[in-house]
Amino acid sequence: MTLSIRAASAWLGPGRSIENAQVVCDGGSITYAGPATPIGDADEELTVAGFLMPAVADRHVHIELSDPAAVVRGGVTAVRDLAWPPERIFALADASEMPSYRGPLVRAAGPMLTGHGGYPTKATWAPAGTGRELAGPEDSVKAVAELAARGATAIKVSLNAEAGPTPTDAELMALRDESHRLELPVTAHPQGAGQVERALGAGVDELAHTPWTRLSDEVIESCAARMRIVSTLDIHSYGRDTPEIRAAIDNLRRFHAAGGTVIYGTDLGNGPIPAGIHTREVLLLRDAGLEPEEILQAMVRAPLDLDAPADLIALGRSPLDDPAAFDDVRLVVRAGRVIVTR
Ligand SMILES: [Zn+2]
């Protein structure tokens, strides 16, 4: 099943904005992306008046707290779930690979690894099993190995000292070592004095949230050199002006200016975050100093290259000129199948 899409303009990846674009998909992969060309007949041909680009990945969600079908209809074709009971989320991740599944591709960390009675074991949003309490360094290794065997694509650790005990330093080192041995990134939820510094010291690869209390320039520079940050800015504001959103934007602005890698993520499922591309998160990334093309890079699942996933969206106009363009999703293609045309 081949699908050909022509568009007035497109962004195929960094530095690759073109007019009169064409993308051809065969099954789940891209077989051509570039200027419009008289390629042989496709099974299905579409022409969109607007702007074509790769579909979006949201790399911090809790998908079962949202509506997966609405997520994909809103232009997000892949998500990474960062805390949910393993028996539920890995089954969903497997199901999401089937054409019958109506949501985005789901990748998952499984439960958050935490201290005894630690976050999120008592959190009201979290069903039983969303946190896995560690019982020593050997248990840390066992937990990571089990999650890796089940298909985890990251290991999430709670460093939320405001909501209960966190893993001990020995547990943290052990889970980091085992994760890295298995080539899995460790992503942390740091909250409370000194926890970002602790994540740095432990060699954590990623912060699952932009920290929302002010970090020193020295800490920011160390983070920029050694970690990625998943943005999740709007959960600190939901459109309002709060001390937390001001601090988070200030932290992310300095992190980005110091060369740190920012990844788009919304913490979908946490409060009133809408399913699909969240334009207000995009506007906040702009407030944090990311250039329009840097924002697209942070958001997309993968550039439109040969053999890349056939996940695309079309918007009414270019988001490089105006991020509000993300409110006008006209086409969504996931794994080479047209999910939405408007
Ligand atoms: Zn979360």
Side-chain angles (χ1 to χ4, degrees):
M1 172 73 191
T2 53
L3 168 67
S4 166
I5 303 163
R6 289 170 185 265
S9 60
W11 184 84
L12 306 176
R16 294 160 63 208
S17 291
I18 62 170
E19 305 293 311
N20 295 320
Q22 185 172 9
V23 175
V24 182
C25 316
D26 189 353
S29 309
I30 287 173
T31 54
Y32 177 81
T37 171
I39 289 179
D41 292 342
D43 298 318
E44 188 175 359
E45 295 186 356
L46 286 175
T47 300
V48 292
F51 182 90
L52 191 66
M53 62 173 278
V56 169
D58 187 337
R59 291 178 169 94
H60 187 153
V61 306
H62 304 278
I63 192 67
E64 286 210 338
L65 296 175
S66 184
D67 173 358
V71 169
V72 78
R73 282 199 308 270
V76 174
T77 61
V79 298
R80 189 176 59 156
D81 192 288
L82 288 187
W84 206 247
E87 65 280 7
R88 285 164 62 174
I89 198 63
F90 291 122
L92 188 65
D94 292 344
S96 77
E97 295 180 12
M98 308 299 287
S100 57
Y101 184 65
R102 296 178 65 245
L105 181 71
V106 176
R107 289 292 173 258
M112 209 182 305
L113 305 185
T114 189
H116 184 68
Y119 183 79
T121 60
K122 296 181 173 67
T124 53
W125 63 266
T130 302
R132 184 190 187 299
E133 298 161 88
L134 298 175
E138 285 174 16
D139 189 44
S140 274
V141 172
K142 183 164 169 275
V144 171
E146 283 171 5
L147 294 172
R150 194 60 193 85
T153 57
I155 298 297
K156 173 92 176 274
V157 60
S158 167
L159 296 179
N160 183 350
E162 290 181 355
T166 60
T168 64
D169 286 348
E171 287 166 348
L172 194 52
M173 298 300 181
L175 77 84
R176 173 211 58 197
D177 285 347
E178 183 66 0
S179 300
H180 289 176
R181 191 180 74 76
L182 297 169
E183 299 184 350
L184 289 174
V186 177
T187 186
H189 172 131
Q191 187 171 347
Q195 294 301 319
V196 171
E197 290 85 342
R198 205 165 160 235
L200 271 170
V204 162
D205 304 284
E206 179 185 290
L207 301 182
H209 299 282
T210 304
W212 58 95
T213 52
R214 192 175 195 282
L215 300 174
S216 71
D217 287 343
E218 190 185 354
V219 169
I220 287 281
E221 276 164 31
S222 297
C223 288
R226 285 143 67 179
M227 291 172 168
R228 303 181 294 269
I229 291 183
V230 186
S231 57
T232 74
L233 290 166
D234 192 43
I235 57 166
H236 304 302
S237 65
Y238 300 127
R240 292 168 299 126
D241 182 16
T242 63
E244 291 80 11
I245 190 63
R246 288 184 184 204
I249 288 173
D250 173 56
N251 284 333
L252 199 63
R253 172 179 284 281
R254 286 179 293 132
F255 174 81
H256 171 253
T261 300
V262 178
I263 303 171
Y264 170 86
T266 65
D267 206 4
L268 177 66
N270 177 350
I273 299 291
I277 299 169
H278 185 27
T279 299
R280 204 158 60 218
E281 186 72 26
V282 180
L283 293 167
L284 292 168
L285 287 173
R286 190 182 61 176
D287 291 348
L290 275 75
E291 297 294 334
E293 191 166 60
E294 292 174 329
I295 292 174
L296 296 200
Q297 256 182 283
M299 293 176 76
V300 298
R301 184 174 176 209
L304 299 178
D305 286 316
L306 193 63
D307 297 330
D311 284 19
L312 310 112
I313 57 173
L315 308 173
R317 62 189 191 282
S318 172
L320 293 165
D321 303 326
D322 176 11
F326 285 117
D327 287 335
D328 184 16
V329 176
R330 303 275 179 96
L331 169 75
V332 179
V333 174
R334 188 196 149 200
R337 287 176 291 119
V338 176
I339 307 286
V340 171
T341 48
R342 295 187 180 100

